[in-house]
PDB file of all heavy atoms in Angstrom:
ATOM      1  N   ILE A   1     123.691 159.333 135.129  1.00  0.00           N
ATOM      2  CA  ILE A   1     123.169 158.640 133.912  1.00  0.00           C
ATOM      3  C   ILE A   1     123.876 157.329 133.769  1.00  0.00           C
ATOM      4  O   ILE A   1     123.227 156.262 133.517  1.00  0.00           O
ATOM      5  CB  ILE A   1     123.381 159.487 132.674  1.00  0.00           C
ATOM      6  CG1 ILE A   1     122.586 160.782 132.789  1.00  0.00           C
ATOM      7  CG2 ILE A   1     123.009 158.715 131.409  1.00  0.00           C
ATOM      8  CD1 ILE A   1     122.829 161.740 131.637  1.00  0.00           C
ATOM      9  N   LEU A   2     125.233 157.260 133.987  1.00  0.00           N
ATOM     10  CA  LEU A   2     125.998 155.999 133.822  1.00  0.00           C
ATOM     11  C   LEU A   2     125.512 154.956 134.889  1.00  0.00           C
ATOM     12  O   LEU A   2     125.431 153.769 134.649  1.00  0.00           O
ATOM     13  CB  LEU A   2     127.453 156.281 133.928  1.00  0.00           C
ATOM     14  CG  LEU A   2     128.134 156.950 132.797  1.00  0.00           C
ATOM     15  CD1 LEU A   2     129.609 157.214 133.059  1.00  0.00           C
ATOM     16  CD2 LEU A   2     128.039 156.094 131.514  1.00  0.00           C
ATOM     17  N   THR A   3     125.272 155.502 136.130  1.00  0.00           N
ATOM     18  CA  THR A   3     124.810 154.593 137.158  1.00  0.00           C
ATOM     19  C   THR A   3     123.450 153.960 136.809  1.00  0.00           C
ATOM     20  O   THR A   3     123.238 152.760 137.045  1.00  0.00           O
ATOM     21  CB  THR A   3     124.717 155.340 138.519  1.00  0.00           C
ATOM     22  OG1 THR A   3     125.929 155.922 138.840  1.00  0.00           O
ATOM     23  CG2 THR A   3     124.217 154.427 139.556  1.00  0.00           C
ATOM     24  N   SER A   4     122.568 154.779 136.238  1.00  0.00           N
ATOM     25  CA  SER A   4     121.228 154.273 135.858  1.00  0.00           C
ATOM     26  C   SER A   4     121.370 153.240 134.753  1.00  0.00           C
ATOM     27  O   SER A   4     120.689 152.189 134.751  1.00  0.00           O
ATOM     28  CB  SER A   4     120.388 155.428 135.284  1.00  0.00           C
ATOM     29  OG  SER A   4     120.189 156.415 136.361  1.00  0.00           O
ATOM     30  N   VAL A   5     122.284 153.482 133.749  1.00  0.00           N
ATOM     31  CA  VAL A   5     122.523 152.553 132.693  1.00  0.00           C
ATOM     32  C   VAL A   5     123.023 151.221 133.201  1.00  0.00           C
ATOM     33  O   VAL A   5     122.566 150.140 132.830  1.00  0.00           O
ATOM     34  CB  VAL A   5     123.510 153.132 131.704  1.00  0.00           C
ATOM     35  CG1 VAL A   5     123.934 152.063 130.628  1.00  0.00           C
ATOM     36  CG2 VAL A   5     122.837 154.300 130.906  1.00  0.00           C
ATOM     37  N   LEU A   6     123.972 151.255 134.164  1.00  0.00           N
ATOM     38  CA  LEU A   6     124.567 150.076 134.768  1.00  0.00           C
ATOM     39  C   LEU A   6     123.482 149.317 135.489  1.00  0.00           C
ATOM     40  O   LEU A   6     123.388 148.047 135.384  1.00  0.00           O
ATOM     41  CB  LEU A   6     125.670 150.442 135.741  1.00  0.00           C
ATOM     42  CG  LEU A   6     126.483 149.367 136.318  1.00  0.00           C
ATOM     43  CD1 LEU A   6     127.142 148.527 135.317  1.00  0.00           C
ATOM     44  CD2 LEU A   6     127.486 149.864 137.319  1.00  0.00           C
ATOM     45  N   LEU A   7     122.594 150.017 136.275  1.00  0.00           N
ATOM     46  CA  LEU A   7     121.539 149.312 136.997  1.00  0.00           C
ATOM     47  C   LEU A   7     120.545 148.604 136.066  1.00  0.00           C
ATOM     48  O   LEU A   7     120.123 147.499 136.272  1.00  0.00           O
ATOM     49  CB  LEU A   7     120.850 150.307 137.927  1.00  0.00           C
ATOM     50  CG  LEU A   7     121.579 150.808 139.115  1.00  0.00           C
ATOM     51  CD1 LEU A   7     120.764 151.810 139.818  1.00  0.00           C
ATOM     52  CD2 LEU A   7     121.884 149.620 140.119  1.00  0.00           C
ATOM     53  N   VAL A   8     120.253 149.280 134.971  1.00  0.00           N
ATOM     54  CA  VAL A   8     119.263 148.707 134.003  1.00  0.00           C
ATOM     55  C   VAL A   8     119.889 147.435 133.368  1.00  0.00           C
ATOM     56  O   VAL A   8     119.237 146.454 133.140  1.00  0.00           O
ATOM     57  CB  VAL A   8     118.926 149.726 132.895  1.00  0.00           C
ATOM     58  CG1 VAL A   8     118.157 149.086 131.704  1.00  0.00           C
ATOM     59  CG2 VAL A   8     118.089 150.874 133.505  1.00  0.00           C
ATOM     60  N   ALA A   9     121.190 147.562 132.976  1.00  0.00           N
ATOM     61  CA  ALA A   9     121.845 146.409 132.442  1.00  0.00           C
ATOM     62  C   ALA A   9     121.963 145.230 133.365  1.00  0.00           C
ATOM     63  O   ALA A   9     121.740 144.040 133.012  1.00  0.00           O
ATOM     64  CB  ALA A   9     123.330 146.808 131.932  1.00  0.00           C
ATOM     65  N   ILE A  10     122.214 145.473 134.606  1.00  0.00           N
ATOM     66  CA  ILE A  10     122.327 144.401 135.659  1.00  0.00           C
ATOM     67  C   ILE A  10     120.889 143.717 135.864  1.00  0.00           C
ATOM     68  O   ILE A  10     120.800 142.523 135.880  1.00  0.00           O
ATOM     69  CB  ILE A  10     122.799 144.918 136.990  1.00  0.00           C
ATOM     70  CG1 ILE A  10     124.299 145.330 136.873  1.00  0.00           C
ATOM     71  CG2 ILE A  10     122.640 143.910 138.080  1.00  0.00           C
ATOM     72  CD1 ILE A  10     124.835 146.069 138.077  1.00  0.00           C
ATOM     73  N   ILE A  11     119.896 144.551 135.988  1.00  0.00           N
ATOM     74  CA  ILE A  11     118.503 143.990 136.135  1.00  0.00           C
ATOM     75  C   ILE A  11     118.061 143.229 134.944  1.00  0.00           C
ATOM     76  O   ILE A  11     117.514 142.125 135.019  1.00  0.00           O
ATOM     77  CB  ILE A  11     117.560 145.163 136.391  1.00  0.00           C
ATOM     78  CG1 ILE A  11     117.843 145.772 137.778  1.00  0.00           C
ATOM     79  CG2 ILE A  11     116.069 144.640 136.410  1.00  0.00           C
ATOM     80  CD1 ILE A  11     117.049 147.075 138.061  1.00  0.00           C
ATOM     81  N   THR A  12     118.369 143.749 133.794  1.00  0.00           N
ATOM     82  CA  THR A  12     117.935 143.057 132.532  1.00  0.00           C
ATOM     83  C   THR A  12     118.722 141.692 132.363  1.00  0.00           C
ATOM     84  O   THR A  12     118.075 140.724 132.074  1.00  0.00           O
ATOM     85  CB  THR A  12     118.310 143.906 131.278  1.00  0.00           C
ATOM     86  OG1 THR A  12     117.619 145.154 131.335  1.00  0.00           O
ATOM     87  CG2 THR A  12     117.939 143.187 129.970  1.00  0.00           C
ATOM     88  N   ALA A  13     119.997 141.709 132.599  1.00  0.00           N
ATOM     89  CA  ALA A  13     120.764 140.460 132.539  1.00  0.00           C
ATOM     90  C   ALA A  13     120.296 139.425 133.598  1.00  0.00           C
ATOM     91  O   ALA A  13     120.193 138.222 133.266  1.00  0.00           O
ATOM     92  CB  ALA A  13     122.270 140.741 132.767  1.00  0.00           C
ATOM     93  N   THR A  14     119.954 139.872 134.807  1.00  0.00           N
ATOM     94  CA  THR A  14     119.527 138.944 135.784  1.00  0.00           C
ATOM     95  C   THR A  14     118.165 138.367 135.413  1.00  0.00           C
ATOM     96  O   THR A  14     117.950 137.145 135.601  1.00  0.00           O
ATOM     97  CB  THR A  14     119.388 139.663 137.157  1.00  0.00           C
ATOM     98  OG1 THR A  14     120.658 140.262 137.481  1.00  0.00           O
ATOM     99  CG2 THR A  14     118.926 138.768 138.268  1.00  0.00           C
ATOM    100  N   GLN A  15     117.232 139.142 134.960  1.00  0.00           N
ATOM    101  CA  GLN A  15     115.944 138.654 134.515  1.00  0.00           C
ATOM    102  C   GLN A  15     116.013 137.697 133.382  1.00  0.00           C
ATOM    103  O   GLN A  15     115.377 136.582 133.394  1.00  0.00           O
ATOM    104  CB  GLN A  15     115.054 139.868 134.218  1.00  0.00           C
ATOM    105  CG  GLN A  15     114.566 140.689 135.346  1.00  0.00           C
ATOM    106  CD  GLN A  15     113.722 141.884 134.984  1.00  0.00           C
ATOM    107  OE1 GLN A  15     113.732 142.311 133.800  1.00  0.00           O
ATOM    108  NE2 GLN A  15     112.989 142.445 135.943  1.00  0.00           N
ATOM    109  N   GLU A  16     116.823 138.075 132.336  1.00  0.00           N
ATOM    110  CA  GLU A  16     116.920 137.129 131.207  1.00  0.00           C
ATOM    111  C   GLU A  16     117.614 135.841 131.545  1.00  0.00           C
ATOM    112  O   GLU A  16     117.249 134.802 131.094  1.00  0.00           O
ATOM    113  CB  GLU A  16     117.772 137.897 130.083  1.00  0.00           C
ATOM    114  CG  GLU A  16     117.087 139.068 129.457  1.00  0.00           C
ATOM    115  CD  GLU A  16     115.860 138.650 128.727  1.00  0.00           C
ATOM    116  OE1 GLU A  16     115.789 137.590 128.091  1.00  0.00           O
ATOM    117  OE2 GLU A  16     114.874 139.433 128.725  1.00  0.00           O
ATOM    118  N   HIS A  17     118.649 135.910 132.408  1.00  0.00           N
ATOM    119  CA  HIS A  17     119.258 134.684 132.850  1.00  0.00           C
ATOM    120  C   HIS A  17     118.344 133.793 133.645  1.00  0.00           C
ATOM    121  O   HIS A  17     118.340 132.529 133.506  1.00  0.00           O
ATOM    122  CB  HIS A  17     120.523 135.069 133.751  1.00  0.00           C
ATOM    123  CG  HIS A  17     121.396 133.925 133.991  1.00  0.00           C
ATOM    124  ND1 HIS A  17     121.465 133.258 135.249  1.00  0.00           N
ATOM    125  CD2 HIS A  17     122.285 133.217 133.205  1.00  0.00           C
ATOM    126  CE1 HIS A  17     122.341 132.329 135.197  1.00  0.00           C
ATOM    127  NE2 HIS A  17     122.826 132.273 133.975  1.00  0.00           N
ATOM    128  N   ASP A  18     117.541 134.413 134.545  1.00  0.00           N
ATOM    129  CA  ASP A  18     116.597 133.575 135.320  1.00  0.00           C
ATOM    130  C   ASP A  18     115.524 132.966 134.406  1.00  0.00           C
ATOM    131  O   ASP A  18     115.124 131.824 134.596  1.00  0.00           O
ATOM    132  CB  ASP A  18     115.891 134.434 136.370  1.00  0.00           C
ATOM    133  CG  ASP A  18     116.772 134.893 137.490  1.00  0.00           C
ATOM    134  OD1 ASP A  18     117.840 134.258 137.639  1.00  0.00           O
ATOM    135  OD2 ASP A  18     116.441 135.873 138.192  1.00  0.00           O
ATOM    136  N   LYS A  19     115.077 133.673 133.370  1.00  0.00           N
ATOM    137  CA  LYS A  19     114.102 133.162 132.392  1.00  0.00           C
ATOM    138  C   LYS A  19     114.712 131.988 131.646  1.00  0.00           C
ATOM    139  O   LYS A  19     114.031 130.925 131.429  1.00  0.00           O
ATOM    140  CB  LYS A  19     113.658 134.227 131.408  1.00  0.00           C
ATOM    141  CG  LYS A  19     112.770 135.285 131.978  1.00  0.00           C
ATOM    142  CD  LYS A  19     112.428 136.293 130.925  1.00  0.00           C
ATOM    143  CE  LYS A  19     111.472 137.406 131.416  1.00  0.00           C
ATOM    144  NZ  LYS A  19     111.115 138.403 130.376  1.00  0.00           N
ATOM    145  N   ALA A  20     116.038 132.101 131.292  1.00  0.00           N
ATOM    146  CA  ALA A  20     116.699 130.975 130.521  1.00  0.00           C
ATOM    147  C   ALA A  20     116.806 129.741 131.407  1.00  0.00           C
ATOM    148  O   ALA A  20     116.571 128.639 130.932  1.00  0.00           O
ATOM    149  CB  ALA A  20     118.010 131.461 130.090  1.00  0.00           C
ATOM    150  N   LEU A  21     117.140 129.939 132.698  1.00  0.00           N
ATOM    151  CA  LEU A  21     117.209 128.775 133.598  1.00  0.00           C
ATOM    152  C   LEU A  21     115.892 128.106 133.741  1.00  0.00           C
ATOM    153  O   LEU A  21     115.791 126.872 133.744  1.00  0.00           O
ATOM    154  CB  LEU A  21     117.732 129.312 134.977  1.00  0.00           C
ATOM    155  CG  LEU A  21     119.224 129.724 135.011  1.00  0.00           C
ATOM    156  CD1 LEU A  21     119.573 130.238 136.464  1.00  0.00           C
ATOM    157  CD2 LEU A  21     120.126 128.500 134.752  1.00  0.00           C
ATOM    158  N   LYS A  22     114.833 128.864 133.928  1.00  0.00           N
ATOM    159  CA  LYS A  22     113.519 128.270 134.098  1.00  0.00           C
ATOM    160  C   LYS A  22     113.043 127.567 132.903  1.00  0.00           C
ATOM    161  O   LYS A  22     112.410 126.467 132.951  1.00  0.00           O
ATOM    162  CB  LYS A  22     112.482 129.339 134.513  1.00  0.00           C
ATOM    163  CG  LYS A  22     112.691 129.948 135.918  1.00  0.00           C
ATOM    164  CD  LYS A  22     111.784 131.032 136.241  1.00  0.00           C
ATOM    165  CE  LYS A  22     111.955 131.587 137.633  1.00  0.00           C
ATOM    166  NZ  LYS A  22     111.039 132.670 137.924  1.00  0.00           N
ATOM    167  N   PHE A  23     113.362 128.141 131.699  1.00  0.00           N
ATOM    168  CA  PHE A  23     112.955 127.494 130.465  1.00  0.00           C
ATOM    169  C   PHE A  23     113.667 126.189 130.239  1.00  0.00           C
ATOM    170  O   PHE A  23     113.132 125.201 129.760  1.00  0.00           O
ATOM    171  CB  PHE A  23     113.269 128.411 129.304  1.00  0.00           C
ATOM    172  CG  PHE A  23     112.873 127.903 127.926  1.00  0.00           C
ATOM    173  CD1 PHE A  23     111.551 127.943 127.530  1.00  0.00           C
ATOM    174  CD2 PHE A  23     113.838 127.485 127.056  1.00  0.00           C
ATOM    175  CE1 PHE A  23     111.192 127.448 126.286  1.00  0.00           C
ATOM    176  CE2 PHE A  23     113.509 126.944 125.796  1.00  0.00           C
ATOM    177  CZ  PHE A  23     112.161 126.966 125.467  1.00  0.00           C
ATOM    178  N   GLU A  24     114.958 126.161 130.615  1.00  0.00           N
ATOM    179  CA  GLU A  24     115.715 124.886 130.534  1.00  0.00           C
ATOM    180  C   GLU A  24     115.184 123.846 131.504  1.00  0.00           C
ATOM    181  O   GLU A  24     115.141 122.687 131.142  1.00  0.00           O
ATOM    182  CB  GLU A  24     117.195 125.159 130.857  1.00  0.00           C
ATOM    183  CG  GLU A  24     118.099 123.992 130.548  1.00  0.00           C
ATOM    184  CD  GLU A  24     119.592 124.330 130.778  1.00  0.00           C
ATOM    185  OE1 GLU A  24     119.888 125.469 131.198  1.00  0.00           O
ATOM    186  OE2 GLU A  24     120.430 123.475 130.521  1.00  0.00           O
TER     187      GLU A  24
END
């Protein structure tokens, strides 16, 4: 469960960061 949570957090952070870069 903890591994799944960590993977979700990593994927979410990566996607949000990429979106912010493209928006800028």
Side-chain angles (χ1 to χ4, degrees):
I1 296 174
L2 286 177
T3 303
S4 300
V5 169
L6 184 62
L7 288 175
V8 169
I10 291 174
I11 293 172
T12 301
T14 302
Q15 290 178 341
E16 292 297 325
H17 189 256
D18 289 343
K19 287 180 182 178
L21 288 175
K22 291 178 181 178
F23 182 75
E24 187 175 4

